[in-house]
Amino acid sequence: MIQLRAYQNDAIKSFEENRRKGILDMATGTGKTITSLAAADRHFETTGQQFLVIIVPFLHLIDQWGRDLENFGINYFLSIANAKASWSEKMDKLIWDYNHGFRKRVVLLGSYKSMASLEFQEKLISIHGQRFLIADECHYLGSQQSRHNQFADFECRLGLSATPKRWWDEEGTLAIEQLFNSTVYSFPMEEAIEKKILTAYEYDPIIVDLTEDEAEEYQKLSLKMTQLMSKKVRTSEQDEQLQRLVLRRTKIIQNAQGKLDILLECLRKEDENAHTLVYCGIGQVDQIVQRIANIGVRVHRFNSEVPIHEREAILKQFASGEIEILVAIKCLDEGVDIPSTKKAYFLASTSNPREFIQRRGRILRRSENKNIAYVYDFIVLPQQAENTDKIFKSIATKELPRFAEFSKFSRNQYGSREVLMPYLAEYNLTHLMDILPWDMYHMMQKEGEI
């Protein structure tokens, strides 16, 4: 028997009171998966029939959800992933059986990519009877690829996400809100820590300067972006050019040269490096793994190049301490359970809160002999560039919303503020320490900035 916590029962009740439509906005690590399956089970007990469709963002999560389904006594599900030949005919048969009463319950579990296919969506139209959607990390349903679907006709629609809004995508956010009706229950980070569902943490911002070349390139790209943004009407080609410039400028911050030396210095000072994650920028994994290995630390990469069938073994070695440090880009962002993690170094983060909030959630999951977690955040604040005041403000407005989010709920909130205060006071920007990501988003939106 699976015992739900009081807040999980409250979430299900709110969902049911909203005619079984809505989003559960619950902090990463608070049991959204179990809550959603319990909600689906209660619906099945009430109606006696159910066609359950579960969508997940990554293939490795299919097995993870499959294990959770088995814990609820659901021992058969059809995996919708990879080549359609593996599921198309089987899905037709399951739909026929369900429509004619030979099966009371059918469960399809698959990826957003496969379920966005035209063939899958057309098959959904032929289903009769009670249909129940669970969308894990439901913000993906707002993407261009997934936005056009048949799920709006489902009687029950449950979205799960710690970050349901889409960053710089108002149209996608609106599509999610229309599909799920509203957020029906929230269980925020601070409450989860207070109730000891998640581990308390300390937050240490580490200030990194840019080299002269990096600062000069950042300014050149900013000038080109300003020129493009000043045009009242832009062609699609100019929009694409603007996006390329944004990515190039972001990469300068993410891959700033000074970060790696500081990281190695931090690791050398630690008495114990076991159960540590390092998040880095694209193209940096191999270099960082090699440099960490050179100082005598057992390290392994965990990126898209690591085959899925090897990942579980790597995570077991990490949990046991055989591997001390994992170096990752995005593979650990959503859905991977590694509760043994005690420390994390954020060398690279985008300004999108979905990314860094999910990453923090990976670190705060409770585990035996883990009373506190540690987050080390590398924040770029240029100090020696030409026209430093202008470039400083430009970068600070992108880096500091992450600081505001992380420090606000940390155990050493005021200590972390003391680290940044001298840098920001020089430019009269101390107020930026309190502007959270979505507040900054709305400010920049009004000002027409990127």
Side-chain angles (χ1 to χ4, degrees):
M1 294 292 293
I2 294 175
Q3 298 295 322
L4 298 181
R5 294 187 172 100
Y7 70 87
Q8 292 172 310
N9 280 315
D10 290 341
I12 295 172
K13 183 180 178 183
S14 297
F15 173 66
E16 291 173 339
E17 289 176 348
N18 200 47
R19 297 186 299 174
R20 291 193 170 95
K21 296 177 182 66
I23 295 172
L24 303 185
D25 179 2
M26 298 166 64
T28 300
T30 56
K32 294 188 292 294
T33 300
I34 298 302
T35 306
S36 66
L37 290 177
D41 247 16
R42 279 173 46 162
H43 169 259
F44 180 58
E45 290 170 5
T46 301
T47 62
Q49 63 165 197
Q50 184 184 79
F51 200 104
L52 177 60
V53 176
I54 303 172
I55 324 177
V56 299
F58 305 112
L59 291 177
H60 66 264
L61 296 181
I62 292 177
D63 290 338
Q64 191 167 299
W65 271 82
R67 290 191 290 270
D68 289 325
L69 284 168
E70 289 177 0
N71 290 333
F72 275 84
I74 303 171
N75 298 313
Y76 176 80
F77 62 87
L78 178 61
S79 177
I80 310 295
N82 302 312
K84 66 181 180 183
S86 66
W87 53 264
S88 183
E89 288 187 14
K90 293 177 183 177
M91 182 175 171
D92 288 337
K93 187 178 186 309
L94 289 172
I95 292 174
W96 193 91
D97 287 349
Y98 182 75
N99 287 345
H100 291 83
F102 294 108
R103 286 182 181 269
K104 296 298 183 185
R105 194 179 208 181
V106 173
V107 180
L108 306 183
L109 173 56
S111 67
Y112 277 92
K113 183 178 180 180
S114 294
M115 289 190 175
S117 68
L118 181 61
E119 180 166 353
F120 179 83
Q121 290 297 323
E122 286 179 343
K123 290 180 188 296
L124 294 181
I125 299 172
S126 63
I127 302 170
H128 308 308
Q130 292 290 321
R131 295 162 295 178
F132 197 118
L133 170 68
I134 297 177
D136 187 20
E137 307 300 348
C138 64
H139 42 263
Y140 284 97
L141 273 175
S143 70
Q144 286 283 359
Q145 182 187 34
S146 300
R147 198 177 299 168
H148 305 290
N149 56 66
Q150 302 298 323
F151 297 130
D153 294 328
F154 275 42
E155 289 76 14
C156 307
R157 304 190 292 272
L158 178 56
L160 311 176
S161 182
T163 51
K165 293 182 181 179
R166 290 179 62 82
W167 195 246
W168 291 106
D169 184 5
E170 297 293 318
E171 190 176 341
T173 297
L174 180 61
I176 295 167
E177 292 172 350
Q178 289 175 339
L179 179 61
F180 292 103
N181 192 260
S182 64
T183 296
V184 293
Y185 185 79
S186 295
F187 191 64
M189 172 70 63
E190 60 269 38
E191 188 175 351
I193 293 175
E194 182 183 335
K195 293 183 176 179
K196 301 188 184 305
I197 308 300
L198 297 178
T199 306
Y201 70 98
E202 289 194 0
Y203 172 61
D204 291 311
I206 298 172
I207 308 303
V208 181
D209 196 359
L210 291 179
T211 66
E212 287 185 19
D213 289 343
E214 287 170 337
E216 184 180 347
E217 180 65 14
Y218 188 94
Q219 288 175 317
K220 285 181 180 178
L221 293 172
S222 297
L223 179 59
K224 291 178 181 178
M225 288 168 56
T226 300
Q227 291 170 344
L228 280 172
M229 292 171 64
S230 65
K231 296 180 182 294
K232 293 183 179 179
V233 179
R234 292 194 300 269
T235 65
S236 58
E237 185 178 337
Q238 288 172 327
D239 280 335
E240 290 175 6
Q241 183 184 357
L242 180 59
Q243 289 306 312
R244 287 194 296 271
L245 291 170
V246 171
L247 292 174
R248 285 175 58 190
R249 194 177 70 167
T250 299
K251 192 173 181 180
I252 291 173
I253 305 303
Q254 291 186 344
N255 295 359
Q257 293 179 27
K259 292 181 179 181
L260 182 51
D261 288 339
I262 297 174
L263 169 67
L264 296 172
E265 183 181 343
C266 291
L267 295 179
R268 288 191 187 98
K269 290 179 180 177
E270 292 286 350
D271 295 328
E272 177 62 66
N273 283 307
H275 308 122
T276 297
L277 297 182
V278 173
Y279 283 105
C280 65
I282 295 172
Q284 288 190 310
V285 170
D286 290 339
Q287 179 192 10
I288 291 175
V289 166
Q290 186 60 57
R291 293 286 298 276
I292 293 175
N294 289 344
I295 64 172
V297 177
R298 299 185 301 276
V299 59
H300 204 290
R301 62 184 177 135
F302 200 89
N303 61 354
S304 59
E305 295 176 13
V306 177
I308 291 178
H309 66 272
E310 293 181 12
R311 294 180 185 181
E312 188 170 348
I314 292 171
L315 291 176
K316 285 181 179 178
Q317 290 176 301
F318 177 74
S320 69
E322 185 178 346
I323 294 173
E324 295 175 283
I325 295 178
L326 287 181
V327 180
I329 301 178
K330 290 184 178 296
C331 283
L332 294 175
D333 284 3
E334 293 169 326
V336 179
D337 291 331
I338 39 173
S340 59
T341 306
K342 294 181 180 178
K343 302 175 194 170
Y345 292 87
F346 288 66
L347 265 68
S349 290
T350 67
S351 58
N352 188 340
R354 185 178 81 212
E355 179 185 277
F356 55 78
I357 287 174
Q358 294 279 3
R359 290 178 175 183
R360 177 181 59 183
R362 300 270 79 76
I363 301 152
L364 303 189
R365 291 179 183 271
R366 297 196 66 82
S367 181
E368 189 176 356
N369 300 320
K370 177 181 171 183
N371 300 315
I372 188 168
Y374 299 90
V375 176
Y376 301 93
D377 187 14
F378 288 63
I379 296 176
V380 172
L381 292 176
Q383 299 149 50
Q384 301 173 20
E386 292 184 20
N387 302 317
T388 303
D389 53 343
K390 191 172 182 179
I391 188 174
F392 187 98
K393 183 177 181 181
S394 171
I395 293 176
T397 55
K398 294 168 181 60
E399 291 278 271
L400 292 184
R402 187 175 70 253
F403 169 87
E405 173 68 33
F406 281 0
S407 65
K408 183 177 181 180
F409 307 118
S410 67
R411 208 170 66 167
N412 62 325
Q413 176 185 0
Y414 297 103
S416 64
R417 292 171 71 90
E418 289 297 322
V419 174
L420 259 70
M421 188 70 75
Y423 297 92
L424 300 179
E426 185 177 348
Y427 300 96
N428 295 316
L429 294 174
T430 54
H431 64 283
L432 292 180
M433 289 192 291
D434 299 307
I435 302 178
L436 291 165
W438 282 104
D439 295 327
M440 182 66 76
Y441 172 90
H442 294 305
M443 286 173 56
M444 294 175 73
Q445 200 175 40
K446 287 179 182 177
E447 295 171 7
E449 296 183 16
I450 291 183

